[in-house]
Protein backbone atom coordinates (compact mmCIF):
# COMPACT_ATOMS: atom_id res chain seq x y z
CA UNK A 1 0.00 0.00 0.00
CA UNK A 2 2.36 2.62 1.12
CA UNK A 3 5.19 1.35 -1.12
CA UNK A 4 2.95 2.19 -4.03
CA UNK A 5 3.33 5.84 -3.05
CA UNK A 6 6.00 7.90 -4.69
CA UNK A 7 8.66 9.47 -2.56
CA UNK A 8 7.45 12.94 -3.43
CA UNK A 9 3.87 12.16 -2.41
CA UNK A 10 5.02 10.59 0.84
CA UNK A 11 7.37 13.51 1.59
CA UNK A 12 4.64 16.03 0.78
CA UNK A 13 2.16 14.33 3.11
CA UNK A 14 4.84 14.18 5.77
CA UNK A 15 5.54 17.90 5.40
CA UNK A 16 1.88 18.66 5.85
CA UNK A 17 1.74 16.61 9.04
CA UNK A 18 4.87 18.32 10.30
CA UNK A 19 3.28 21.68 9.55
CA UNK A 20 0.22 20.68 11.57
CA UNK A 21 2.43 19.57 14.43
CA UNK A 22 4.26 22.89 14.33
CA UNK A 23 0.98 24.73 14.42
CA UNK A 24 -0.07 22.86 17.61
CA UNK A 25 -3.66 22.74 16.47
CA UNK A 26 -4.10 19.05 16.74
CA UNK A 27 -5.80 17.44 19.67
CA UNK A 28 -4.35 14.41 21.31
CA UNK A 29 -6.31 11.91 19.27
CA UNK A 30 -5.60 13.64 15.93
CA UNK A 31 -2.02 14.00 17.00
CA UNK A 32 -1.71 10.31 17.68
CA UNK A 33 -3.16 9.46 14.28
CA UNK A 34 -0.90 11.96 12.56
CA UNK A 35 2.14 10.70 14.41
CA UNK A 36 1.30 7.15 13.42
CA UNK A 37 0.83 8.28 9.83
CA UNK A 38 4.01 10.30 9.92
CA UNK A 39 5.97 7.28 11.09
CA UNK A 40 4.59 5.27 8.21
CA UNK A 41 5.50 8.06 5.79
CA UNK A 42 8.99 8.29 7.25
CA UNK A 43 9.45 4.57 6.72
CA UNK A 44 8.24 4.91 3.17
CA UNK A 45 10.61 7.78 2.50
CA UNK A 46 13.55 5.97 4.05
CA UNK A 47 12.77 2.91 2.00
CA UNK A 48 12.54 5.01 -1.21
CA UNK A 49 15.80 6.79 -0.44
CA UNK A 50 17.51 3.49 0.21
CA UNK A 51 16.23 2.01 -3.04
CA UNK A 52 17.31 5.06 -5.00
CA UNK A 53 20.78 4.99 -3.49
CA UNK A 54 21.15 1.34 -4.35
CA UNK A 55 20.02 2.00 -7.93
CA UNK A 56 22.38 4.91 -8.34
CA UNK A 57 25.26 2.90 -6.96
CA UNK A 58 24.46 -0.03 -9.26
CA UNK A 59 24.09 2.19 -12.30
CA UNK A 60 27.00 4.59 -11.78
CA UNK A 61 29.23 2.93 -9.23
CA UNK A 62 29.27 6.23 -7.37
CA UNK A 63 29.20 6.33 -3.63
CA UNK A 64 26.33 8.57 -2.76
CA UNK A 65 26.31 7.90 0.99
CA UNK B 1 52.15 -52.77 -188.95
CA UNK B 2 54.92 -51.68 -186.66
CA UNK B 3 56.79 -54.07 -184.43
CA UNK B 4 55.09 -55.01 -181.20
CA UNK B 5 56.74 -55.68 -177.89
CA UNK B 6 55.65 -57.82 -175.13
CA UNK B 7 55.03 -56.35 -171.64
CA UNK B 8 58.24 -57.77 -170.36
CA UNK B 9 60.14 -56.46 -173.36
CA UNK B 10 58.75 -53.01 -172.68
CA UNK B 11 59.57 -53.36 -168.99
CA UNK B 12 63.11 -54.23 -169.95
CA UNK B 13 63.38 -51.14 -172.14
CA UNK B 14 61.96 -48.95 -169.40
CA UNK B 15 64.27 -50.50 -166.86
CA UNK B 16 67.21 -49.91 -169.13
CA UNK B 17 66.18 -46.33 -169.78
CA UNK B 18 65.63 -45.59 -166.14
CA UNK B 19 68.87 -47.20 -165.11
CA UNK B 20 70.79 -45.31 -167.74
CA UNK B 21 68.92 -42.06 -167.47
CA UNK B 22 68.50 -41.85 -163.71
CA UNK B 23 70.98 -44.20 -162.18
CA UNK B 24 71.60 -43.80 -158.48
CA UNK B 25 69.65 -40.88 -157.06
CA UNK B 26 68.79 -39.06 -153.82
CA UNK B 27 65.06 -38.55 -153.46
CA UNK B 28 63.29 -36.44 -150.87
CA UNK B 29 59.73 -36.88 -149.76
CA UNK B 30 57.53 -37.50 -146.76
CA UNK B 31 56.66 -41.02 -145.82
CA UNK B 32 52.95 -41.47 -146.42
CA UNK B 33 52.78 -45.18 -145.71
CA UNK B 34 55.06 -47.82 -144.29
CA UNK B 35 54.66 -51.57 -144.36
CA UNK B 36 56.88 -54.30 -143.08
CA UNK B 37 56.95 -57.57 -144.92
CA UNK B 38 59.36 -60.04 -143.48
CA UNK B 39 62.75 -58.38 -143.45
CA UNK B 40 61.74 -55.86 -146.08
CA UNK B 41 60.15 -52.46 -145.71
CA UNK B 42 57.84 -51.00 -148.27
CA UNK B 43 57.18 -47.31 -148.09
CA UNK B 44 55.40 -44.64 -150.05
CA UNK B 45 56.91 -41.21 -150.06
CA UNK B 46 55.05 -38.23 -151.33
CA UNK B 47 55.66 -34.67 -152.34
CA UNK B 48 53.24 -32.09 -151.05
CA UNK B 49 52.69 -28.59 -152.28
CA UNK B 50 50.64 -25.57 -151.53
CA UNK B 51 49.03 -24.23 -148.41
CA UNK B 52 46.86 -27.31 -148.14
CA UNK B 53 49.87 -29.59 -148.57
CA UNK B 54 48.28 -31.41 -151.44
CA UNK B 55 50.07 -34.55 -152.59
CA UNK B 56 51.41 -33.92 -156.05
CA UNK B 57 53.65 -36.95 -156.44
CA UNK B 58 54.11 -40.38 -154.96
CA UNK B 59 56.98 -42.83 -155.12
CA UNK B 60 57.11 -46.38 -153.86
CA UNK B 61 60.17 -47.27 -151.89
CA UNK B 62 61.53 -50.67 -151.02
CA UNK B 63 64.17 -51.32 -148.45
CA UNK B 64 65.35 -54.86 -148.65
CA UNK B 65 66.93 -56.80 -145.84
CA UNK B 66 70.64 -56.24 -146.62
CA UNK B 67 70.20 -52.48 -146.86
CA UNK B 68 67.68 -52.41 -144.08
CA UNK B 69 70.24 -53.60 -141.53
CA UNK B 70 72.60 -50.77 -142.46
CA UNK B 71 69.77 -48.21 -142.43
CA UNK B 72 68.42 -49.48 -139.11
CA UNK B 73 71.88 -49.15 -137.62
CA UNK B 74 72.09 -45.60 -138.89
CA UNK B 75 68.68 -44.72 -137.49
CA UNK B 76 69.57 -46.13 -134.10
CA UNK B 77 72.67 -43.99 -134.04
CA UNK B 78 70.55 -40.93 -134.67
CA UNK B 79 67.86 -40.52 -132.03
CA UNK B 80 64.86 -38.63 -133.19
CA UNK B 81 64.58 -40.09 -136.66
CA UNK B 82 62.36 -43.05 -137.40
CA UNK B 83 60.91 -44.54 -140.50
CA UNK B 84 57.24 -43.87 -140.07
CA UNK B 85 54.41 -41.95 -141.67
CA UNK B 86 55.07 -38.25 -141.73
CA UNK B 87 58.84 -38.49 -141.57
CA UNK B 88 60.53 -36.40 -144.17
CA UNK B 89 63.25 -38.53 -145.70
CA UNK B 90 66.11 -38.23 -148.10
CA UNK B 91 66.75 -41.66 -149.52
CA UNK B 92 69.38 -42.95 -151.87
CA UNK B 93 68.83 -45.82 -154.31
CA UNK B 94 68.12 -46.89 -157.80
CA UNK B 95 64.86 -46.80 -159.66
CA UNK B 96 63.63 -50.28 -160.35
CA UNK B 97 60.71 -51.59 -162.25
CA UNK B 98 58.91 -54.44 -160.58
CA UNK B 99 57.74 -56.24 -163.63
CA UNK B 100 55.01 -58.52 -162.15
CA UNK B 101 53.10 -55.43 -161.10
CA UNK B 102 54.52 -52.91 -163.49
CA UNK B 103 55.41 -50.55 -160.71
CA UNK B 104 58.47 -48.40 -160.40
CA UNK B 105 60.05 -48.16 -156.99
CA UNK B 106 63.18 -46.84 -155.41
CA UNK B 107 65.36 -49.57 -154.09
CA UNK B 108 66.96 -47.82 -151.19
CA UNK B 109 70.53 -48.38 -150.18
CA UNK B 110 71.09 -45.37 -147.91
CA UNK B 111 69.33 -42.71 -145.90
CA UNK B 112 70.39 -39.17 -145.00
CA UNK B 113 69.26 -38.92 -141.39
CA UNK B 114 70.92 -35.53 -140.94
CA UNK B 115 68.72 -34.19 -143.70
CA UNK B 116 65.65 -35.44 -141.83
CA UNK B 117 66.85 -33.77 -138.65
CA UNK B 118 67.53 -30.59 -140.54
CA UNK B 119 64.11 -30.79 -142.04
CA UNK B 120 62.55 -31.09 -138.64
CA UNK B 121 64.42 -28.06 -137.47
CA UNK B 122 63.55 -26.17 -140.60
CA UNK B 123 59.89 -27.08 -140.32
CA UNK B 124 59.84 -26.26 -136.66
CA UNK B 125 61.60 -22.97 -137.22
CA UNK B 126 59.18 -22.07 -139.93
CA UNK B 127 56.22 -22.75 -137.67
CA UNK B 128 57.81 -20.90 -134.80
CA UNK B 129 58.54 -17.87 -136.96
CA UNK B 130 54.96 -17.85 -138.10
CA UNK B 131 53.57 -18.22 -134.60
CA UNK B 132 55.80 -15.48 -133.34
CA UNK B 133 54.74 -13.22 -136.16
CA UNK B 134 51.09 -13.88 -135.37
CA UNK B 135 51.59 -13.35 -131.66
CA UNK B 136 50.91 -16.89 -130.46
CA UNK B 137 54.10 -17.43 -128.52
CA UNK B 138 53.11 -15.12 -125.68
CA UNK B 139 49.41 -15.92 -125.47
CA UNK B 140 49.76 -18.56 -122.75
CA UNK B 141 51.76 -16.15 -120.60
CA UNK B 142 48.58 -14.20 -119.93
CA UNK B 143 47.46 -17.02 -117.67
CA UNK B 144 48.55 -17.17 -114.09
CA UNK B 145 48.74 -20.62 -112.59
CA UNK B 146 46.82 -20.75 -109.37
CA UNK B 147 49.10 -21.29 -106.33
CA UNK B 148 47.55 -24.68 -105.69
CA UNK B 149 46.52 -26.28 -109.01
CA UNK B 150 44.62 -29.32 -107.78
CA UNK B 151 42.34 -29.66 -110.82
CA UNK B 152 44.34 -31.02 -113.72
CA UNK B 153 43.23 -31.77 -117.24
CA UNK B 154 45.57 -34.39 -118.68
CA UNK B 155 45.91 -34.80 -122.45
CA UNK B 156 47.77 -37.93 -123.34
CA UNK B 157 47.45 -41.43 -124.62
CA UNK B 158 45.51 -43.35 -122.01
CA UNK B 159 47.47 -46.33 -120.70
CA UNK B 160 50.77 -44.95 -121.95
CA UNK B 161 53.97 -44.86 -119.92
CA UNK B 162 53.62 -41.08 -119.91
CA UNK B 163 50.27 -41.28 -118.17
CA UNK B 164 51.59 -43.84 -115.68
CA UNK B 165 54.68 -41.76 -114.88
CA UNK B 166 52.63 -38.62 -114.42
CA UNK B 167 49.92 -40.22 -112.28
CA UNK B 168 52.42 -42.17 -110.16
CA UNK B 169 54.29 -38.99 -109.36
CA UNK B 170 51.08 -37.23 -108.35
CA UNK B 171 50.04 -40.20 -106.22
CA UNK B 172 53.38 -40.31 -104.40
CA UNK B 173 52.92 -36.68 -103.35
CA UNK B 174 49.96 -37.62 -101.20
CA UNK B 175 48.12 -34.57 -102.50
CA UNK B 176 44.50 -35.13 -103.47
CA UNK B 177 44.55 -34.05 -107.10
CA UNK B 178 41.44 -33.99 -109.26
CA UNK B 179 42.63 -35.27 -112.64
CA UNK B 180 40.49 -35.69 -115.73
CA UNK B 181 42.18 -37.45 -118.63
CA UNK B 182 41.38 -36.59 -122.22
CA UNK B 183 42.63 -39.49 -124.27
CA UNK B 184 44.35 -38.94 -127.61
CA UNK B 185 46.64 -40.60 -130.01
CA UNK B 186 49.97 -38.80 -129.76
CA UNK B 187 51.78 -39.97 -132.82
CA UNK B 188 51.05 -40.39 -136.46
CA UNK B 189 49.79 -38.04 -139.05
CA UNK B 190 46.43 -37.55 -137.34
CA UNK B 191 47.90 -36.98 -133.87
CA UNK B 192 47.88 -33.15 -134.03
CA UNK B 193 44.23 -33.10 -135.01
CA UNK B 194 43.29 -35.64 -132.32
CA UNK B 195 45.22 -33.77 -129.69
CA UNK B 196 43.37 -30.61 -130.61
CA UNK B 197 40.10 -32.50 -130.21
CA UNK B 198 41.24 -33.80 -126.81
CA UNK B 199 41.98 -30.28 -125.67
CA UNK B 200 38.60 -29.07 -126.88
CA UNK B 201 36.95 -31.97 -125.05
CA UNK B 202 38.43 -30.78 -121.77
CA UNK B 203 36.88 -27.38 -122.28
CA UNK B 204 33.51 -29.05 -122.61
CA UNK B 205 33.50 -30.96 -119.30
CA UNK B 206 30.36 -29.74 -117.54
CA UNK B 207 30.76 -27.93 -114.21
CA UNK B 208 34.48 -28.46 -114.13
CA UNK B 209 37.23 -26.06 -115.08
CA UNK B 210 40.80 -27.26 -114.75
CA UNK B 211 43.37 -25.17 -112.94
CA UNK B 212 45.92 -26.35 -115.48
CA UNK B 213 46.05 -28.63 -118.53
CA UNK B 214 48.99 -30.91 -118.98
CA UNK B 215 50.11 -32.12 -122.40
CA UNK B 216 52.41 -35.10 -122.07
CA UNK B 217 53.96 -37.77 -124.16
CA UNK B 218 56.39 -40.53 -123.46
CA UNK B 219 59.89 -40.50 -124.85
CA UNK B 220 60.06 -41.21 -128.52
CA UNK B 221 61.67 -40.42 -131.79
CA UNK B 222 62.23 -37.06 -133.19
CA UNK B 223 59.46 -37.77 -135.57
CA UNK B 224 57.05 -38.43 -132.71
CA UNK B 225 58.01 -35.07 -131.43
CA UNK B 226 57.05 -33.46 -134.70
CA UNK B 227 53.41 -33.95 -133.72
CA UNK B 228 54.00 -31.29 -131.13
CA UNK B 229 55.56 -29.03 -133.73
CA UNK B 230 52.23 -28.91 -135.50
CA UNK B 231 51.05 -25.42 -136.17
CA UNK B 232 47.39 -26.19 -135.50
CA UNK B 233 48.15 -27.91 -132.21
CA UNK B 234 50.50 -25.13 -131.16
CA UNK B 235 47.85 -22.53 -131.93
CA UNK B 236 45.23 -24.48 -129.97
CA UNK B 237 47.57 -24.66 -127.00
CA UNK B 238 48.30 -20.95 -127.24
CA UNK B 239 44.62 -20.06 -127.32
CA UNK B 240 43.56 -22.52 -124.59
CA UNK B 241 41.57 -20.86 -121.79
CA UNK B 242 43.77 -22.39 -119.10
CA UNK B 243 47.50 -22.58 -118.47
CA UNK B 244 48.91 -25.48 -120.52
CA UNK B 245 51.96 -27.26 -119.18
CA UNK B 246 53.91 -29.59 -121.43
CA UNK B 247 55.99 -32.67 -120.78
CA UNK B 248 56.65 -33.84 -124.30
CA UNK B 249 59.34 -36.20 -123.25
CA UNK B 250 62.47 -35.06 -124.95
CA UNK B 251 65.61 -34.25 -123.08
CA UNK B 252 67.27 -32.07 -125.69
CA UNK B 253 64.93 -30.45 -128.13
CA UNK B 254 61.92 -28.38 -127.44
CA UNK B 255 58.81 -28.74 -129.53
CA UNK B 256 56.76 -25.85 -130.81
CA UNK B 257 54.12 -26.72 -128.23
CA UNK B 258 56.79 -26.30 -125.57
CA UNK B 259 57.46 -22.84 -126.91
CA UNK B 260 53.85 -21.73 -126.82
CA UNK B 261 52.97 -23.50 -123.57
CA UNK B 262 52.71 -21.64 -120.29
CA UNK B 263 55.47 -23.78 -118.82
CA UNK B 264 57.44 -26.55 -120.52
CA UNK B 265 58.92 -29.47 -118.66
CA UNK B 266 61.07 -32.17 -120.19
CA UNK B 267 59.12 -35.22 -119.08
CA UNK B 268 55.70 -36.14 -117.72
CA UNK B 269 57.33 -36.89 -114.37
CA UNK B 270 58.91 -33.45 -114.38
CA UNK B 271 55.53 -31.80 -115.02
CA UNK B 272 54.01 -33.67 -112.09
CA UNK B 273 57.02 -32.75 -109.95
CA UNK B 274 56.66 -29.11 -110.95
CA UNK B 275 52.99 -29.03 -110.05
CA UNK B 276 53.65 -30.74 -106.73
CA UNK B 277 56.50 -28.37 -105.96
CA UNK B 278 54.31 -25.39 -106.70
CA UNK B 279 51.68 -26.61 -104.26
CA UNK B 280 54.29 -27.50 -101.64
CA UNK B 281 56.00 -24.14 -102.08
CA UNK B 282 52.67 -22.46 -101.69
CA UNK B 283 51.98 -24.51 -98.59
CA UNK B 284 55.46 -23.82 -97.21
CA UNK B 285 55.17 -20.14 -98.01
CA UNK B 286 51.80 -20.11 -96.40
CA UNK B 287 53.23 -21.87 -93.40
CA UNK B 288 56.27 -19.60 -93.40
CA UNK B 289 53.95 -16.64 -93.79
CA UNK B 290 51.97 -17.80 -90.83
CA UNK B 291 55.14 -18.39 -88.83
CA UNK B 292 56.51 -14.99 -89.87
CA UNK B 293 53.21 -13.36 -89.06
CA UNK B 294 53.16 -15.19 -85.75
CA UNK B 295 56.76 -14.17 -85.06
CA UNK B 296 56.00 -10.60 -86.03
CA UNK B 297 52.97 -10.68 -83.84
CA UNK B 298 55.03 -12.16 -81.00
CA UNK B 299 57.77 -9.57 -81.50
CA UNK B 300 55.17 -6.88 -81.63
CA UNK B 301 53.56 -8.30 -78.53
CA UNK B 302 56.93 -8.57 -76.88
CA UNK B 303 57.72 -4.96 -77.74
CA UNK B 304 54.31 -3.90 -76.61
CA UNK B 305 54.76 -5.93 -73.48
CA UNK B 306 58.15 -4.30 -72.90
CA UNK B 307 56.62 -0.88 -73.43
CA UNK B 308 53.76 -1.84 -71.19
CA UNK B 309 56.16 -3.09 -68.57
CA UNK B 310 58.07 0.19 -68.80
CA UNK B 311 54.85 2.13 -68.54
CA UNK B 312 53.76 -0.22 -65.79
CA UNK B 313 57.04 0.27 -63.92
CA UNK B 314 56.78 4.01 -64.35
CA UNK B 315 53.13 3.92 -63.36
CA UNK B 316 53.94 1.81 -60.34
CA UNK B 317 56.71 4.21 -59.31
CA UNK B 318 54.43 7.20 -59.75
CA UNK B 319 51.62 5.39 -58.03
CA UNK B 320 53.91 4.28 -55.22
CA UNK B 321 55.20 7.84 -54.76
CA UNK B 322 51.67 9.12 -54.83
CA UNK B 323 50.59 6.46 -52.41
CA UNK B 324 53.52 7.24 -50.14
CA UNK B 325 52.64 10.90 -50.28
CA UNK B 326 49.05 10.15 -49.44
CA UNK B 327 50.12 7.70 -46.81
CA UNK B 328 52.34 10.32 -45.18
CA UNK B 329 49.54 12.83 -45.36
CA UNK B 330 47.22 10.25 -43.91
CA UNK B 331 49.68 9.42 -41.14
CA UNK B 332 50.07 13.06 -40.39
CA UNK B 333 46.34 13.58 -40.43
CA UNK B 334 45.86 10.46 -38.35
CA UNK B 335 48.43 11.68 -35.88
CA UNK B 336 46.83 15.07 -35.76
CA UNK B 337 43.42 13.55 -35.48
CA UNK B 338 44.60 11.14 -32.86
CA UNK B 339 46.27 13.91 -30.92
CA UNK B 340 43.30 16.19 -31.25
CA UNK B 341 40.96 13.31 -30.69
CA UNK B 342 42.80 12.25 -27.63
CA UNK B 343 42.75 15.80 -26.45
CA UNK B 344 39.04 16.14 -27.18
CA UNK B 345 38.35 12.77 -25.61
CA UNK B 346 40.37 13.73 -22.59
CA UNK B 347 38.53 16.99 -22.34
CA UNK B 348 35.20 15.27 -22.77
CA UNK B 349 36.21 12.63 -20.30
CA UNK B 350 37.22 15.27 -17.84
CA UNK B 351 33.96 17.03 -18.44
CA UNK B 352 32.11 13.78 -18.02
CA UNK B 353 34.06 12.97 -14.91
CA UNK B 354 33.30 16.41 -13.67
CA UNK B 355 29.68 16.08 -14.56
CA UNK B 356 29.65 12.65 -13.02
CA UNK B 357 31.23 14.04 -9.93
CA UNK B 358 28.74 16.83 -9.95
CA UNK B 359 25.93 14.39 -10.41
CA UNK B 360 27.26 12.22 -7.64
CA UNK B 361 27.67 15.26 -5.50
CA UNK B 362 24.18 16.39 -6.35
CA UNK B 363 22.89 12.95 -5.67
CA UNK B 364 24.70 12.77 -2.37
CA UNK B 365 23.46 16.17 -1.49
CA UNK B 366 19.98 15.30 -2.54
CA UNK B 367 20.01 12.05 -0.63
CA UNK B 368 21.54 13.81 2.35
CA UNK B 369 18.93 16.54 2.21
CA UNK B 370 16.16 14.04 2.03
CA UNK B 371 17.78 12.00 4.73
CA UNK B 372 18.03 15.08 6.91
CA UNK B 373 14.44 15.93 6.19
CA UNK B 374 13.35 12.49 7.19
CA UNK B 375 15.58 12.46 10.25
CA UNK B 376 14.24 15.82 11.35
CA UNK B 377 10.70 14.73 10.61
CA UNK B 378 11.25 11.63 12.69
CA UNK B 379 12.69 13.60 15.52
CA UNK B 380 9.73 15.95 15.41
CA UNK B 381 7.29 13.09 15.18
CA UNK B 382 8.93 11.32 18.08
CA UNK B 383 8.95 14.48 20.02
CA UNK B 384 5.28 15.00 19.33
CA UNK B 385 4.32 11.45 20.09
CA UNK B 386 1.81 11.45 22.99
CA UNK B 387 3.30 8.20 24.16
CA UNK B 388 6.42 10.06 25.19
CA UNK B 389 4.37 12.58 27.14
CA UNK B 390 2.58 9.74 28.80
CA UNK B 391 5.91 8.16 29.63
CA UNK B 392 6.88 11.25 31.48
CA UNK B 393 3.79 10.73 33.71
CA UNK B 394 1.20 12.58 31.76
CA UNK B 395 -2.17 10.91 31.02
CA UNK B 396 -5.10 11.38 28.66
CA UNK B 397 -8.57 11.48 30.01
CA UNK B 398 -11.37 10.39 27.75
CA UNK B 399 -15.07 10.31 28.09
CA UNK B 400 -16.77 8.06 25.59
CA UNK B 401 -13.47 7.73 23.78
CA UNK B 402 -13.03 11.49 23.37
CA UNK B 403 -10.09 13.29 24.95
CA UNK B 404 -11.04 15.77 27.59
CA UNK B 405 -8.96 18.90 27.69
CA UNK B 406 -11.07 20.96 30.18
CA UNK B 407 -12.94 20.24 33.47
CA UNK B 408 -15.88 21.97 31.92
CA UNK B 409 -16.29 19.02 29.73
CA UNK B 410 -17.10 16.59 32.55
CA UNK B 411 -19.85 16.17 35.05
CA UNK B 412 -19.90 14.39 38.41
CA UNK B 413 -20.68 10.77 38.20
CA UNK B 414 -19.47 10.40 34.63
CA UNK B 415 -17.25 7.45 33.85
CA UNK B 416 -13.93 8.46 32.55
CA UNK B 417 -11.08 6.52 30.99
CA UNK B 418 -7.54 7.49 31.83
CA UNK B 419 -4.75 6.44 29.47
CA UNK B 420 -1.29 6.11 30.96
CA UNK B 421 1.96 5.13 29.33
CA UNK B 422 1.57 1.52 30.10
CA UNK B 423 -2.18 1.03 30.12
CA UNK B 424 -5.66 2.44 30.80
CA UNK B 425 -7.67 2.81 33.88
CA UNK B 426 -11.34 3.75 34.40
CA UNK B 427 -12.74 6.04 37.09
CA UNK B 428 -15.79 8.04 38.09
CA UNK B 429 -15.92 11.81 38.48
CA UNK B 430 -16.58 12.55 42.09
CA UNK B 431 -16.36 16.23 42.18
Amino acid sequence: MTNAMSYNDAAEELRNILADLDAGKLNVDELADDIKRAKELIDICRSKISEAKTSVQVLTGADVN
Amino acid sequence: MSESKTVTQLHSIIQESVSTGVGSVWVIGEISSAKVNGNHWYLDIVEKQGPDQKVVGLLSVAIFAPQLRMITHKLKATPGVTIEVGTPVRLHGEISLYQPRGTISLRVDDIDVQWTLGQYVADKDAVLRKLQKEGFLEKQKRHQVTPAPFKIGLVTSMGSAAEADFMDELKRSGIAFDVKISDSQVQGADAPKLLVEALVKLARVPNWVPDIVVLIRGGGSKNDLSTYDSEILAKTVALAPWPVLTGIGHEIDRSVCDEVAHTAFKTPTAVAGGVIKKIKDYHDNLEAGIVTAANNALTSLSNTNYQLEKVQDRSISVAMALLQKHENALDSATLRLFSQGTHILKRNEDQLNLQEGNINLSLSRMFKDQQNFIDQAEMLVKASDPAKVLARGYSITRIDGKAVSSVEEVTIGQTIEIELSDGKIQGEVKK
Side-chain angles (χ1 to χ4, degrees), chain A residues 7 11 14-15 18 21-22 28-29 31-32 35 38-39 41-42 45-46 49 52-53 56 60 62-65, chain B residues 356 359-360 363-364 367-368 370-371 373-382 384-386 396 398 401-403:
Chain A
Y7 177 84
L14 182 59
R15 281 191 195 93
L18 293 176
L21 289 175
D22 277 343
V28 173
D29 292 326
L31 179 63
I35 293 299
K39 284 182 177 177
L41 292 170
I42 285 167
C45 286
R46 283 195 191 282
I49 287 171
K53 276 184 177 179
V56 169
T60 66
D63 183 7
V64 289
N65 288 311
Chain B
E356 190 182 34
I359 288 169
N360 291 341
L363 283 171
S364 294
F367 281 124
K368 196 163 186 177
Q370 296 303 320
Q371 194 71 50
F373 165 67
I374 298 299
D375 288 348
Q376 285 174 4
E378 191 173 27
M379 282 172 63
L380 186 59
V381 167
K382 280 182 178 174
S384 303
D385 191 348
I396 298 168
R398 289 186 176 88
K402 187 180 175 186

